[in-house]
């Protein structure tokens, strides 16, 4: 596994992402920003408020607030809806970020109970929402559902869930960390999607590729309350501008490229699926991402991938996650790095990968 | 009051601080940092770990962790000590940052009860600590006590409180946002001070003058646990390097200047105290900071200060806080801005201030 990581780090090209996460990301964004421009101060000032207004408008919501992290933004959104409904219970996917990546912050800090909708391998359906306990204050939908390869319900299902929640006085929150990446598949505007939800979170460093940070959007009262909780969490920093100016820069640079990322994901998935013993989840991507499932023990798969990386100079992945003793997977998210890789080198890499998977 | 703010913003010189909080602060720090240098990743990587190790060593503690804010770091420190002692009760000054500036995060997120030691105008004494309920898990001491002008107990009192807490199985936490600024007065090393405490917080943007961020230091188990809570709070950002590299840069630049800041504070306090109706708190500063108390109604004081600022070009303050209908105050913290102000302009400003306070 060390060899996999090493060969990935030494690659000349990357298939995933926007390129290395290094200081150049900051320098590029700040290159044309005047030194005289004032810092935001504890959530006030043009440096933060202008971007918040822009993002509120973009998402079709009354107001927006910039958070240092999505973890903080989403816990707070759920807390506000629970307080409003007077019941400390929310419902989401069993592989939601809040359930598996946040050390139970929602439970430990906010004493909120969680209802897990559907099983780990499925996308949430209207039936799942209808079957949940009646006292759920808020349903969180993650679009795309990252931990199952970025799968999506169809738009009609979203509409039906939204309608059901409104009729039954249940709040609906969008974990839209990667929502921009789904727009080409849905063929909808971001406002079309967001209008189905009471509150929306958008990450600044997934498809957008900023340094860090998140936007939370909703109606005026909701956002006002979220700022109080932001201070309580320790997220109301004196200055967030290093994240805000970079978020704005890369948002402008990449918001129009999501259709390309989606097209490249479909193209790349075909290449993976052509290798024996490799399948992508979903088989046909619905955003810029998918998971690569390899029907080999994790150590053996790591060896094969490392060899392909060393031989081709293309970085496919730096890590692998075990599913069971015969299967493992890794995640792919298409971005600006992909078109920089010469086509013939990609062909060589996948031919080699196919051969090695075949045992040649 | 608008005129006060406007005249402050238009000043050519500032008596307080290190200069404007603008994008140049970031650009200066990143000027010599290579674009190829890798980002930290969720608390890992040289970009964060090197600075954490350096600060742990500097403070004389086993380990340290970089936090986006002091608010987050301190709530977490107190939560860990409460969990360890099995009692959700801490004690601190009635004007502690946690009590008045954090929207009750400690109470709302951690359900921790607070005991207020001493009255609002006093420094905490050994007797205050001895008189508190026996089930307090942790005492927090803020050095200097910012909201009363940065006053300090003497070193012997610190030693006695530390000894009492250790004998009585009470944890002692240092709110050392401005601890470096107290070292010239105490004539001690930072390790001497920190050795009296079980955990220590240091701000990166007070005397050091970084963009934002904080260091929390303590023993290995404590720091390990603090990283779990950092994730729960939403503070374990994918990249904190914009704050870390600037913190490191300005720490190196300014850690040796605290004696100058302290000397200038004493010099400047004399000038204020020479004006009729103006007194500084403390009269003789014990760090780089003090409060300027003006024996005038707040609107009248604002008018006088605005006039002095306009006439001299020196910014004294952009805001005033009312104490009662006859008195108001503002805060002064000496830094790199002070020596850039020509002495004769300072003399002119204070002569004018004295005259206006006299009603001339």
């Amino acid at each position: 596994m060390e060899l996999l990581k090493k060969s990935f780090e030494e690659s000349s090209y990357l298939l995933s992402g926007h390129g290395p996460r290094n200081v150049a990301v900051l320098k590029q964004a700040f290159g044309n920003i005047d030194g005289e421009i004032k810092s935001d101060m504890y959530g006030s000032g043009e440096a933060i408020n202008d971007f918040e207004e822009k993002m509120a408008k973009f998402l079709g919501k009354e107001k927006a607030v910039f958070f240092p992290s999505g973890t903080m933004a989403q816990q707070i959104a759920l807390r506000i809806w629970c307080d409003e409904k007077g019941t400390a219970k929310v419902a989401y996917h069993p592989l939601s970020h809040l359930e598996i990546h946040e050390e139970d912050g929602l439970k430990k800090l906010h004493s909120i109970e969680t209802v897990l909708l559907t099983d780990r391998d499925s996308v949430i359906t209207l039936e799942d929402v209808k079957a949940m306990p009646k006292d759920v204050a808020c349903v969180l939908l993650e679009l795309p559902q990252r931990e199952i390869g970025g799968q999506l319900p169809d738009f009609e299902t979203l509409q039906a869930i939204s309608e059901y929640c409104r009729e039954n006085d249940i709040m609906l929150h969008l974990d839209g960390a990667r929502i921009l990446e789904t727009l080409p598949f849905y063929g909808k505007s971001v406002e079309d999607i967001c209008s189905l939800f009471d509150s929306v979170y958008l990450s600044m460093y997934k498809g957008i590729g900023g340094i860090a940070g998140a936007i939370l959007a909703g109606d005026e009262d909701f956002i006002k309350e979220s700022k109080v909780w932001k201070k309580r969490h320790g997220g109301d920093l004196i200055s967030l501008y290093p994240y805000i100016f970079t978020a704005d820069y890369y948002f402008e640079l990449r918001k129009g490229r999501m259709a390309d990322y989606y097209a490249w994901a479909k193209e790349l998935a075909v290449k993976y699926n052509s290798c024996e013993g490799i399948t992508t989840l979903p088989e046909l991507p619905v955003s810029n991402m998918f998971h690569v499932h390899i029907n080999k023990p994790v150590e053996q798969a790591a060896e094969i991938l490392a060899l392909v990386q060393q031989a081709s100079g293309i970085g496919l992945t730096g890590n692998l996650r075990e599913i069971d003793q015969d299967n493992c997977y890794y995640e792919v998210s298409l971005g600006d790095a992909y078109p920089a890789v010469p086509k013939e080198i990609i062909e060589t890499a996948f031919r080699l990968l196919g051969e090695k998977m075949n045992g040649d």
Side-chain angles (χ1 to χ4, degrees), chain A:
Chain A
M1 199 62 96
E2 270 310 299
L3 193 62
L4 178 69
K5 203 177 160 206
K6 189 165 174 290
S7 61
F8 179 73
E9 283 169 359
E10 290 170 353
S11 305
S12 305
Y13 302 104
L14 295 174
L15 289 186
S16 265
H18 297 304
R21 287 189 62 88
N22 60 23
V23 168
V25 173
L26 180 144
K27 291 199 164 199
Q28 184 180 330
F30 274 91
N32 289 317
I33 296 175
D34 195 285
E36 297 291 308
I37 289 174
K38 279 191 208 166
S39 172
D40 50 313
M41 288 291 285
Y42 300 111
S44 294
E46 288 174 13
I48 187 165
N49 300 149
D50 286 0
F51 187 63
E52 288 172 339
E53 275 175 38
K54 174 178 172 172
M55 294 310 287
K57 202 172 167 193
F58 174 71
L59 298 169
K61 295 293 179 193
E62 274 178 29
K63 296 277 176 186
V65 58
F66 193 93
F67 271 91
S69 74
T71 295
M72 195 185 291
Q74 295 209 105
Q75 284 182 26
I76 287 172
L78 298 183
R79 172 62 185 258
I80 293 170
W81 295 138
C82 282
D83 283 355
E84 180 159 320
K85 295 297 172 192
T87 154
K89 195 180 285 184
V90 299
Y92 51 48
H93 194 276
L95 296 179
S96 166
H97 197 272
L98 290 110
E99 192 65 16
I100 65 172
H101 290 308
E102 301 181 8
E103 295 280 0
D104 279 341
L106 188 72
K107 295 163 196 179
K108 300 273 187 180
L109 289 170
H110 296 283
S111 303
I112 290 175
E113 193 185 328
T114 59
V115 174
L116 304 181
L117 300 168
T118 194
D119 60 274
R120 294 166 63 96
D121 299 322
S122 303
V123 165
I124 294 166
T125 64
L126 176 61
E127 286 61 46
D128 295 324
V129 174
K130 282 184 175 173
M132 70 188 189
K134 294 299 158 207
D135 61 343
V136 164
C138 179
V139 170
L140 175 148
L141 291 186
E142 182 186 349
L143 304 177
Q145 197 72 53
R146 184 235 181 141
E147 296 292 347
I148 51 172
Q151 295 180 62
L152 284 173
D154 57 33
F155 190 72
E156 292 65 38
T157 299
L158 293 185
Q159 285 179 308
I161 291 174
S162 175
E163 199 174 318
Y164 176 83
C165 285
R166 279 179 192 168
E167 278 167 5
N168 289 276
D169 204 25
I170 300 158
M171 309 310 289
L172 189 59
H173 171 77
L174 172 59
D175 177 343
R178 298 165 178 80
I179 192 64
L180 303 188
E181 294 89 315
T182 73
L183 301 179
F185 167 78
Y186 280 129
K188 301 286 177 187
S189 74
V190 71
E191 288 164 278
D192 289 338
I193 311 271
C194 292
S195 69
L196 304 175
F197 295 85
D198 299 293
S199 52
V200 172
Y201 143 65
L202 171 63
S203 170
M204 295 296 119
Y205 64 91
K206 308 300 190 315
I208 294 172
I211 297 179
I215 279 288
L216 183 66
D219 68 28
E220 192 167 347
D221 288 346
F222 170 82
I223 291 300
K224 193 174 165 196
E225 185 68 9
S226 79
K227 290 181 183 180
V228 176
W229 283 105
K230 183 184 173 192
K231 192 173 276 289
R232 287 177 182 146
H233 264 255
D236 187 29
L237 308 196
I238 183 168
S239 298
L240 282 165
Y241 75 83
Y243 299 133
I244 297 166
F245 289 149
T246 43
D248 196 11
Y249 176 85
Y250 291 108
F251 172 72
E252 289 301 333
L253 187 73
R254 298 192 173 120
K255 67 179 178 185
R257 297 183 183 173
M258 298 295 160
D260 286 340
Y261 302 159
Y262 172 47
W264 298 335
K266 286 189 288 189
E267 181 181 299
L268 188 60
V270 169
K271 295 186 202 298
Y272 274 114
N273 286 309
S274 71
C275 299
E276 196 178 306
I278 297 184
T279 51
T280 68
L281 180 71
E283 191 185 343
L284 184 64
V286 290
S287 71
N288 73 324
M289 76 172 291
F290 55 84
H291 284 181
V292 178
H293 284 249
I294 303 181
N295 179 218
K296 295 271 185 202
V298 65
E299 286 306 330
Q300 206 177 323
E303 215 171 288
I304 292 172
L305 291 166
L307 199 150
V308 173
Q309 292 184 153
Q310 284 172 323
S312 68
I314 294 185
L316 303 170
T317 187
N319 63 71
L320 273 175
R321 279 172 266 184
E322 189 169 51
I323 298 171
D324 55 37
Q325 59 180 17
D326 297 318
N327 293 280
C328 58
Y329 80 98
Y330 63 94
E331 186 176 290
V332 171
S333 296
L334 277 293
D336 287 353
Y338 186 74
V341 195
K343 293 283 181 204
E344 63 277 14
I345 301 188
I346 298 180
E347 294 312 320
T348 308
F350 277 90
R351 197 168 51 240
L352 186 59
L353 180 60
E355 285 166 16
K356 292 295 158 194
M357 285 298 296
N358 255 331
D360 296 350

